Amino acid sequence: ASLSQFKDPETGKALSKTGQVSDWSVANGVGTCSLALSTHSKPIEQDVKEKFRQFLMAQAEGIQDVDVRMRALHRPANPI
């Protein structure tokens, strides 16, 4: 799956460039990965998680399900 097509809801940057997806593995047709979102995105976390799961299932042939594990992303504040 090309993560460049799925954007971080906070920054709009492609997940392929932000390092927010990790621990990707596939076993018996089930994919597992971790997706990190900042606390700013917490209110929409479940929606983003489900959209990302559906995105991965559409992109990866032979995957019957994807377990997306959420984790907190600690993004330093931009300098003023």
Side-chain angles (χ1 to χ4, degrees), residues 28-31 53 57 60 62-66:
N28 301 319
V30 178
R53 188 184 80 77
M57 287 181 59
I63 298 289
Q64 297 150 2
D65 196 11
V66 176

Side-chain angles (χ1 to χ4, degrees), residues 4-64:
S4 64
Q5 298 171 15
F6 200 93
K7 311 291 184 200
D8 173 63
E10 183 180 354
T11 65
K13 293 181 181 176
L15 291 183
S16 61
K17 303 216 183 277
T18 62
Q20 290 171 249
V21 179
S22 61
D23 306 322
W24 178 252
S25 66
V26 178
N28 301 319
V30 178
T32 303
C33 68
S34 294
L35 173 61
L37 294 179
S38 70
T39 55
H40 178 78
S41 297
K42 188 73 173 167
I44 60 170
E45 179 180 278
Q46 291 305 309
D47 184 50
V48 173
K49 176 181 177 178
E50 181 57 24
K51 286 180 181 176
F52 188 58
R53 188 184 80 77
Q54 291 176 9
F55 170 80
L56 290 175
M57 287 181 59
Q59 298 291 315
E61 243 180 80
I63 298 289
Q64 297 150 2

Side-chain angles (χ1 to χ4, degrees), residues 56-78:
L56 290 175
M57 287 181 59
Q59 298 291 315
E61 243 180 80
I63 298 289
Q64 297 150 2
D65 196 11
V66 176
D67 178 21
V68 178
R69 298 177 181 158
M70 302 305 294
R71 63 182 177 85
L73 174 67
H74 302 289
R75 190 185 332 251
N78 291 331

